[in-house]
Amino acid sequence: MLRRDRLFLAATLTAVFSADLYFILLPKLRSLGRPHSCSCGPGNLSLPRQGGLATPLLSNWTSVPLPDSATPEPADGGSKLEKLFAHTLYNIQTPSLGPEERLLQAEQLIEYYRRKVSRWERHMKLYSEAAAVANISVTEHEVTYDPDASWMKFHLGINRYALYSRDDPAVLQLLKDMQNMAVVSADYTQDEKALKGACDCTQVVKPSGHHLKLALKMKNFAKAMFKPMRQQRDEETPEDSFYFVDFQRHNAEIAAFHLDRILDFQRVPPVAGRLVNVTGEVLQVTHNEDLRAVFFTSPANNTCFFAKCLYVCKTEYAVCGRPDLLEGSLSAYLPGLSIAPRISIPNPWTRSYTFTGREEWEVNPFYCDTVKQLYPYNSGNRLLNIIDMSIFDFLTGNMDRHHYEIFTKFGDEGFLLHLDNARGFGKHSQDETSILAPLSQCCMIKRSTLLRLQLLARSEFRLSDVMRESLEGDPLRPVLTEPHLLALDRRLQKVLRVVQCCEIFMGSCQRITSGSWFWS
Amino acid sequence: MLRRDRLFLAATLTAVFSADLYFILLPKLRSLGRPHSCSCGPGNLSLPRQGGLATPLLSNWTSVPLPDSATPEPADGGSKLEKLFAHTLYNIQTPSLGPEERLLQAEQLIEYYRRKVSRWERHMKLYSEAAAVANISVTEHEVTYDPDASWMKFHLGINRYALYSRDDPAVLQLLKDMQNMAVVSADYTQDEKALKGACDCTQVVKPSGHHLKLALKMKNFAKAMFKPMRQQRDEETPEDSFYFVDFQRHNAEIAAFHLDRILDFQRVPPVAGRLVNVTGEVLQVTHNEDLRAVFFTSPANNTCFFAKCLYVCKTEYAVCGRPDLLEGSLSAYLPGLSIAPRISIPNPWTRSYTFTGREEWEVNPFYCDTVKQLYPYNSGNRLLNIIDMSIFDFLTGNMDRHHYEIFTKFGDEGFLLHLDNARGFGKHSQDETSILAPLSQCCMIKRSTLLRLQLLARSEFRLSDVMRESLEGDPLRPVLTEPHLLALDRRLQKVLRVVQCCEIFMGSCQRITSGSWFWS
């Protein structure tokens, strides 16, 4: 027993010493060699190329050449998006999946769906009787049981690597269904219901007056979260706004889905834009009295509704149709927590949700060294997944990533879900480099991610061009204004510059301060 | 006793019968004569002229010629404002005032002022000691006792006819003092203090989150209400906003003072614009801990503060300096209620402060007949004063006149104070004709008011031109955007059209429906 303890102590000490040598001493020694060369300034924009540069220290670091890096830009100007998706990088086959690598089994989901349908039918029977007595008129739509429904296929396709495969026809069909299919009921989301109409003013984090999301159910039982338009596309978030009271933007939600797909992450559930008739598709189909009660007609004769928790006073929080039609994003629901549990984990690089507070990562340049030693970031891909997420959030400008979710079934190796992206795309004129702190403080990136970013920086694919093209497919086009699209290219360059600086000065610059040392 | 009762009954019946004959039967008989001629449409814009038209029925009705109606427009384009104020209409001498016609006596006010100064000095002594113990740094300014202070002279000048006389040098000096004089203390207004930090959500009328007004004290004890800028000058109120949750606009407050002076009403206390340093002139001089607690620094490093009643959640309600300087309006305080009591009376044409409610005047075209029979509108000038106020509010577009105030000293014959005009000038592109309901339903106007309106409709004076010129004198120029100035001319034409229609069809058109019959 004593000997085992000693062995353990010796192993721990060796590990700590090795880590110290590796992360602290080695970099310091390296930086002594070139004390004044730390200047990855904005002028130095060329991308990492083969040879000539230091080989990355960490296993996932990469500067390997791209398979077709010499391909000239095509003159015909055909579909860049098609070309991107035809690229070999986007056509790496996932290994065939065993049952344990899939989130759900078909039988399980079909049984779940059947139970839902019969529960709905019982509920409708009772509700119709009650509504007739109370003299409430509710539009009744036929629901259909369809074992081939696109949302079923989407749910069945979720696996340990991603939410869907990019070329899955079920995802395209699901987008179409969310855009067009008849809505049979509308209700508050579980989040809103948990609030029970109260506005928790002790929580500075979530002034839920801004949360006007609703759950809509389609006639084939597809469920989607509706976030209505709160802000015009050309409005920028005021500079004095704290990110945690910023509006949720429906177009950011849509654009984030497309960006995630273009980055080949597939970690954002499908999102489609839709012009929702708030009278016919919300007010007249809801069975929730509370929801019905927040509807009113505005002085301009438009149909409006406002957040439950601010019922009486806050009509200025309302959203209004024109006169009934209102733009919004519809995000596909993931399988229910009862059949596919998820856990929510605090982001190690979360922000302080107070006026003056600061988190450790903002003041400690060695923060990543701490994180690297903590479970679950001390092994596997989890830290690299966090860095992927930070790059994704930096590109959209989303500062509100306080938690992330994973499916419990896939354990620590599961991918990170990029849910709730509506606070991105608030400012096109500003790049919030602090979002990149995980990348710039850890100097690590997945090889696959970097290769795709490098590809998207090239003029023949150019991120803004493929995004523009991809978003053209949404009914609410143009989803993003040009300045937001162009900001994506600028931000991509900044990500690559961080990577480049990490490659060149691994172990020196990135330790000077936290996150914003190249451009501040 | 019995005989007196009978006499009273007979007198009442006679009065009712006469009123009926006069207001109902006579107009109906007149309208029979020209049953199809009720078409004062937008094409018919010429102003009432001498002769040819029906003589107004009511004593105050006028279509007398203007003294210099034939004067051509001057070619030199000199100061229109000076010419306006030099016009004979603007130079009618008020009779010399007896003591009972003045609001305050000099001795009384001086005594009041002395008491204030000595109370302040005692307070400061105690506060400085307490602040030193609590380690709070407060900027201390010298206060001066000045019996010639402009605010004293303004208060002493208030009489039963108006708040001031237009050429009173004390008013000009007071405007300058409010623009420049050192601020010695800042505090919540009594209204805000009465709320005690609570947001009364049962009151849909006043969601006080929008009320960020503060009371500022100058070094000579002049007191002014500071309303900070909430909205850019070129922003219009969204069409779906209810008027009672609209922002209060500092520039509307300034412009309303100038308009009131140009209409020769003098019923709005002096208002000046000022670039207030919210750090040096509010935060550092307040003795109120609650007020200090709502200050914070925004992500853009600007100094901001928000409404007390929404302390925790609602930073989105905050106003921010750049980095400390913030535009605002400063409205001179009236004498305190202890020496010059006022009463607040519901406006008979108040609006419903609910989503769906309607007031009687909105549905009953004969509403004015009811009002005319009620005290205090059944005698004297009160109803004509209400109509003046409605014209003033229509010109600014202010729908929020639920109450009006009068000085109790002057009884029923006192003038109406036009306080709180910050909800005007919200939409330049829309004219809310329902605000004119008192004029269009009663078909009465003061002769003096109509003459001035007619003068201001002429190109040689033109309301927009004199307003533009007058507002040029304010430090926050341009106070109003051009579309708002031009809207004044358009609205003035509409007022005159109502008058014209009343003149022509007295007793017919105006009874068809309420207020909006000419243009709807």
Side-chain angles (χ1 to χ4, degrees):
Chain A
M1 186 72 183
L2 202 72
R3 280 183 62 190
R4 261 176 81 184
D5 270 10
R6 268 192 206 156
L7 197 70
F8 179 71
L9 188 71
T12 311
L13 282 175
T14 314
V16 169
F17 178 70
S18 315
D20 226 45
L21 183 75
Y22 188 73
F23 294 116
I24 313 287
L25 286 177
L26 247 179
K28 284 212 170 139
L29 283 174
R30 290 166 59 85
S31 69
L32 282 178
R34 17 178 151 66
H36 299 300
S37 59
C38 180
S39 62
C40 304
N44 188 2
L45 264 172
S46 64
L47 301 186
R49 298 205 156 270
Q50 191 180 17
L53 300 180
T55 314
L57 287 179
L58 298 177
S59 62
N60 269 288
W61 210 223
T62 189
S63 61
V64 292
L66 289 166
D68 58 351
S69 61
T71 315
E73 186 172 3
D76 63 351
S79 164
K80 286 188 174 183
L81 192 64
E82 278 174 26
K83 260 175 246 151
L84 180 76
F85 288 160
H87 193 280
T88 45
L89 262 180
Y90 283 74
N91 286 282
I92 300 162
Q93 287 304 309
T94 15
S96 64
L97 299 162
E100 272 316 294
E101 292 183 303
R102 293 183 180 277
L103 184 66
L104 299 171
Q105 309 310 317
E107 306 72 37
Q108 180 193 14
L109 188 60
I110 287 172
E111 176 53 29
Y112 178 81
Y113 187 8
R114 274 194 198 287
R115 279 205 311 272
K116 284 260 177 202
V117 174
S118 55
R119 199 183 309 149
W120 170 264
E121 281 165 354
R122 281 199 308 278
H123 166 80
M124 277 312 290
K125 198 158 165 281
L126 290 171
Y127 186 81
S128 303
E129 289 166 16
V133 172
N135 212 7
I136 295 167
S137 73
V138 171
T139 314
E140 280 184 42
H141 289 280
E142 277 296 300
V143 296
T144 52
Y145 170 78
D146 174 11
D148 284 327
S150 60
W151 68 269
M152 282 272 284
K153 291 186 177 163
F154 161 57
H155 283 188
L156 285 174
I158 301 174
N159 60 63
R160 60 169 290 179
Y161 301 106
L163 280 174
Y164 57 91
S165 60
R166 199 183 7 78
D167 48 4
D168 186 350
V171 169
L172 296 177
Q173 186 56 46
L174 177 54
L175 290 174
K176 278 190 199 143
D177 287 351
M178 290 195 294
Q179 288 160 16
N180 305 312
M181 196 172 270
V183 177
V184 297
S185 89
D187 203 349
Y188 286 115
T189 61
Q190 288 303 322
D191 289 6
E192 301 267 339
K193 284 181 179 171
L195 277 171
K196 289 191 178 154
C199 193
D200 184 0
C201 280
T202 59
Q203 285 281 325
V204 78
V205 183
K206 297 240 166 192
S208 301
H210 280 168
H211 294 203
L212 274 174
K213 53 193 185 188
L214 296 174
L216 304 186
K217 189 179 277 170
M218 314 292 155
K219 73 168 189 178
N220 71 352
F221 269 68
K223 220 172 148 189
M225 187 182 290
F226 170 55
K227 290 190 180 175
M229 180 168 81
R230 306 298 314 265
Q231 198 173 312
Q232 296 298 320
R233 289 181 185 45
D234 56 355
E235 285 178 88
E236 278 210 279
T237 302
E239 58 167 10
D240 290 318
S241 265
F242 285 89
Y243 49 89
F244 49 79
V245 292
D246 189 16
F247 276 131
Q248 303 230 10
R249 279 169 289 276
H250 73 304
N251 61 331
E253 204 71 84
I254 303 168
F257 163 68
H258 287 258
L259 178 64
D260 171 86
R261 201 173 49 158
I262 283 168
L263 292 172
D264 215 23
F265 285 167
Q266 283 99 32
R267 297 166 203 166
V268 175
V271 185
R274 177 167 178 156
L275 214 51
V276 172
N277 183 324
V278 290
T279 306
E281 295 174 325
V282 180
L283 178 62
Q284 288 170 0
V285 297
T286 185
H287 302 164
N288 186 327
E289 279 311 300
D290 289 344
L291 179 55
R292 225 193 306 277
V294 297
F295 274 76
F296 64 97
T297 304
S298 85
N301 268 331
N302 294 318
T303 304
C304 308
F305 65 101
F306 45 89
K308 189 184 174 192
C309 99
L310 295 159
Y311 178 18
V312 187
C313 290
K314 297 298 170 297
T315 56
E316 63 269 39
Y317 277 106
V319 289
C320 299
R322 289 282 170 283
D324 299 294
L325 296 179
L326 177 61
E327 279 193 14
S329 62
L330 272 88
S331 309
Y333 263 60
L334 292 173
L337 292 174
S338 62
I339 54 167
R342 307 190 294 267
I343 48 167
S344 174
I345 301 165
N347 179 357
W349 277 268
T350 189
R351 284 165 197 277
S352 163
Y353 282 73
T354 62
F355 293 148
T356 49
R358 284 204 162 242
E359 293 295 321
E360 195 191 336
W361 64 267
E362 294 177 86
V363 289
N364 175 11
F366 301 99
Y367 180 69
C368 185
D369 297 342
T370 315
V371 175
K372 276 175 185 166
Q373 291 168 38
L374 296 174
Y375 169 83
Y377 307 103
N378 54 356
S379 68
N381 270 339
R382 184 67 70 85
L383 189 52
L384 287 163
N385 284 338
I386 292 277
I387 288 164
D388 273 359
M389 186 169 67
S390 79
I391 292 167
F392 177 69
D393 286 338
F394 173 70
L395 290 173
T396 69
N398 179 11
M399 298 168 77
D400 193 33
R401 186 73 63 190
H402 42 87
H403 284 74
Y404 61 89
E405 291 193 25
I406 54 169
F407 288 112
T408 48
K409 175 165 184 178
F410 304 130
D412 288 336
E413 287 307 297
F415 65 92
L416 272 51
L417 287 159
H418 297 174
L419 304 176
D420 234 341
N421 301 300
R423 285 200 167 130
F425 298 103
K427 292 180 192 170
H428 54 74
S429 53
Q430 199 181 315
D431 302 334
E432 186 55 50
T433 49
S434 65
I435 304 173
L436 273 184
L439 173 66
S440 57
Q441 292 185 343
C442 302
C443 271
M444 288 165 71
I445 188 170
K446 279 189 197 173
R447 177 191 154 91
S448 55
T449 304
L450 181 58
L451 287 174
R452 283 177 185 82
L453 294 177
Q454 287 170 329
L455 205 64
L456 290 164
R458 291 205 214 152
S459 63
E460 73 230 63
F461 299 110
R462 198 180 281 121
L463 181 53
S464 60
D465 290 340
V466 289
M467 272 294 280
R468 190 184 298 104
E469 195 183 329
S470 184
L471 292 171
E472 267 299 302
D474 193 88
L476 300 184
R477 60 185 166 272
V479 173
L480 291 181
T481 60
E482 277 302 306
H484 278 293
L485 287 168
L486 300 179
L488 286 171
D489 293 331
R490 188 181 67 227
R491 290 172 189 160
L492 177 56
Q493 289 299 333
K494 289 191 177 176
V495 175
L496 293 172
R497 217 182 301 149
V498 178
V499 172
Q500 194 183 19
C501 283
C502 280
E503 281 195 307
I504 301 171
F505 305 118
M506 183 64 198
S508 60
C509 285
Q510 85 278 17
R511 303 204 177 278
I512 291 170
T513 172
S514 63
S516 59
W517 44 273
F518 334 90
W519 310 289
S520 63
Chain B
M1 185 70 185
L2 202 70
R3 281 184 60 190
R4 262 176 80 186
D5 270 7
R6 269 192 204 157
L7 197 67
F8 179 71
L9 189 69
T12 311
L13 283 175
T14 316
V16 169
F17 179 68
S18 315
D20 227 45
L21 184 75
Y22 188 73
F23 294 118
I24 312 285
L25 287 177
L26 247 180
K28 284 210 170 139
L29 284 173
R30 290 167 59 84
S31 69
L32 282 179
R34 16 178 151 67
H36 299 299
S37 58
C38 178
S39 62
C40 303
N44 188 2
L45 263 171
S46 64
L47 300 185
R49 299 207 156 270
Q50 190 180 16
L53 300 180
T55 315
L57 287 180
L58 298 178
S59 60
N60 268 288
W61 210 223
T62 188
S63 59
V64 292
L66 289 166
D68 57 354
S69 62
T71 315
E73 186 173 5
D76 63 353
S79 163
K80 287 188 175 184
L81 192 63
E82 278 174 27
K83 261 176 245 149
L84 179 76
F85 287 160
H87 193 279
T88 45
L89 262 180
Y90 282 75
N91 286 282
I92 299 160
Q93 288 302 308
T94 15
S96 64
L97 300 162
E100 272 315 293
E101 292 183 304
R102 293 182 180 278
L103 183 67
L104 298 171
Q105 308 309 317
E107 307 72 37
Q108 180 193 15
L109 187 60
I110 287 170
E111 177 53 30
Y112 177 82
Y113 187 7
R114 272 192 201 287
R115 280 205 312 272
K116 283 261 177 201
V117 174
S118 55
R119 199 183 309 148
W120 170 264
E121 280 164 353
R122 280 200 308 279
H123 166 80
M124 278 312 289
K125 200 158 163 282
L126 289 170
Y127 185 81
S128 304
E129 289 166 13
V133 172
N135 212 8
I136 295 168
S137 73
V138 171
T139 314
E140 279 186 39
H141 288 280
E142 276 297 299
V143 297
T144 52
Y145 171 78
D146 173 12
D148 285 328
S150 60
W151 69 269
M152 284 272 284
K153 290 184 175 165
F154 161 57
H155 284 187
L156 286 173
I158 300 172
N159 60 62
R160 60 168 290 180
Y161 302 106
L163 279 174
Y164 57 91
S165 61
R166 202 184 1 82
D167 49 2
D168 185 351
V171 169
L172 294 177
Q173 186 57 46
L174 177 55
L175 289 174
K176 278 189 197 143
D177 288 352
M178 289 194 295
Q179 287 159 17
N180 305 311
M181 195 171 271
V183 177
V184 298
S185 87
D187 203 349
Y188 286 115
T189 61
Q190 288 304 320
D191 289 6
E192 301 267 340
K193 284 180 180 172
L195 276 172
K196 289 191 179 156
C199 193
D200 184 359
C201 281
T202 59
Q203 285 281 324
V204 78
V205 183
K206 297 238 167 194
S208 298
H210 280 167
H211 293 201
L212 273 173
K213 54 194 184 187
L214 297 173
L216 303 186
K217 191 178 274 169
M218 314 289 156
K219 73 168 189 180
N220 71 353
F221 269 67
K223 218 172 149 188
M225 186 182 291
F226 169 54
K227 290 189 181 174
M229 180 167 83
R230 303 300 312 268
Q231 198 174 312
Q232 296 298 319
R233 288 180 185 46
D234 56 356
E235 285 177 86
E236 279 209 278
T237 302
E239 59 168 9
D240 290 318
S241 266
F242 284 89
Y243 49 89
F244 48 79
V245 291
D246 190 16
F247 277 130
Q248 302 230 9
R249 279 168 289 275
H250 73 305
N251 62 330
E253 203 71 85
I254 303 168
F257 163 67
H258 287 258
L259 177 64
D260 170 88
R261 201 173 51 159
I262 282 167
L263 294 172
D264 215 25
F265 284 166
Q266 283 99 32
R267 297 165 204 167
V268 175
V271 185
R274 177 167 178 154
L275 214 50
V276 171
N277 183 323
V278 289
T279 305
E281 295 174 326
V282 180
L283 178 62
Q284 288 171 1
V285 298
T286 184
H287 301 164
N288 185 327
E289 279 311 301
D290 289 344
L291 178 53
R292 225 193 307 277
V294 296
F295 274 76
F296 65 96
T297 304
S298 84
N301 267 330
N302 294 318
T303 305
C304 309
F305 64 101
F306 46 89
K308 193 183 170 190
C309 99
L310 294 160
Y311 178 18
V312 187
C313 292
K314 298 298 170 297
T315 56
E316 64 269 40
Y317 277 106
V319 290
C320 299
R322 290 278 172 282
D324 299 295
L325 296 179
L326 176 61
E327 281 194 13
S329 62
L330 272 88
S331 309
Y333 263 61
L334 291 173
L337 292 173
S338 62
I339 56 169
R342 308 190 293 269
I343 47 167
S344 175
I345 301 166
N347 179 357
W349 277 267
T350 188
R351 283 166 198 278
S352 163
Y353 282 73
T354 61
F355 293 147
T356 49
R358 285 207 162 239
E359 293 294 319
E360 195 190 335
W361 65 267
E362 294 176 87
V363 287
N364 173 10
F366 301 98
Y367 181 68
C368 186
D369 297 342
T370 315
V371 175
K372 274 175 185 165
Q373 291 168 40
L374 295 173
Y375 170 83
Y377 307 103
N378 55 356
S379 68
N381 270 338
R382 184 65 70 85
L383 189 52
L384 287 163
N385 283 338
I386 292 277
I387 288 163
D388 273 0
M389 186 168 68
S390 78
I391 292 168
F392 177 70
D393 287 339
F394 173 69
L395 290 173
T396 69
N398 180 9
M399 298 168 78
D400 193 34
R401 187 72 66 190
H402 42 88
H403 284 75
Y404 60 89
E405 292 194 24
I406 55 168
F407 288 112
T408 48
K409 177 165 182 177
F410 304 131
D412 288 336
E413 287 306 297
F415 65 92
L416 271 49
L417 287 158
H418 297 175
L419 304 175
D420 235 342
N421 302 300
R423 286 200 166 130
F425 298 105
K427 291 180 193 171
H428 54 73
S429 52
Q430 195 180 317
D431 303 334
E432 186 56 51
T433 49
S434 65
I435 305 174
L436 273 184
L439 173 66
S440 56
Q441 292 185 343
C442 303
C443 271
M444 290 167 67
I445 188 170
K446 279 190 197 173
R447 178 189 153 93
S448 55
T449 303
L450 181 59
L451 288 173
R452 284 178 183 82
L453 293 178
Q454 287 170 328
L455 206 63
L456 289 164
R458 293 205 212 152
S459 63
E460 71 231 65
F461 299 111
R462 196 181 282 121
L463 181 53
S464 61
D465 289 340
V466 289
M467 270 294 281
R468 190 183 297 104
E469 194 182 331
S470 184
L471 291 171
E472 266 301 300
D474 192 90
L476 300 186
R477 64 185 164 272
V479 173
L480 291 182
T481 58
E482 277 301 306
H484 278 294
L485 287 168
L486 300 179
L488 286 171
D489 294 331
R490 187 182 65 225
R491 290 172 190 161
L492 177 56
Q493 289 298 336
K494 290 192 177 175
V495 176
L496 292 172
R497 218 182 301 150
V498 178
V499 172
Q500 195 183 14
C501 283
C502 281
E503 282 194 307
I504 301 173
F505 305 116
M506 182 66 198
S508 61
C509 283
Q510 85 278 15
R511 301 201 180 278
I512 291 171
T513 173
S514 60
S516 58
W517 44 272
F518 333 93
W519 309 291
S520 63

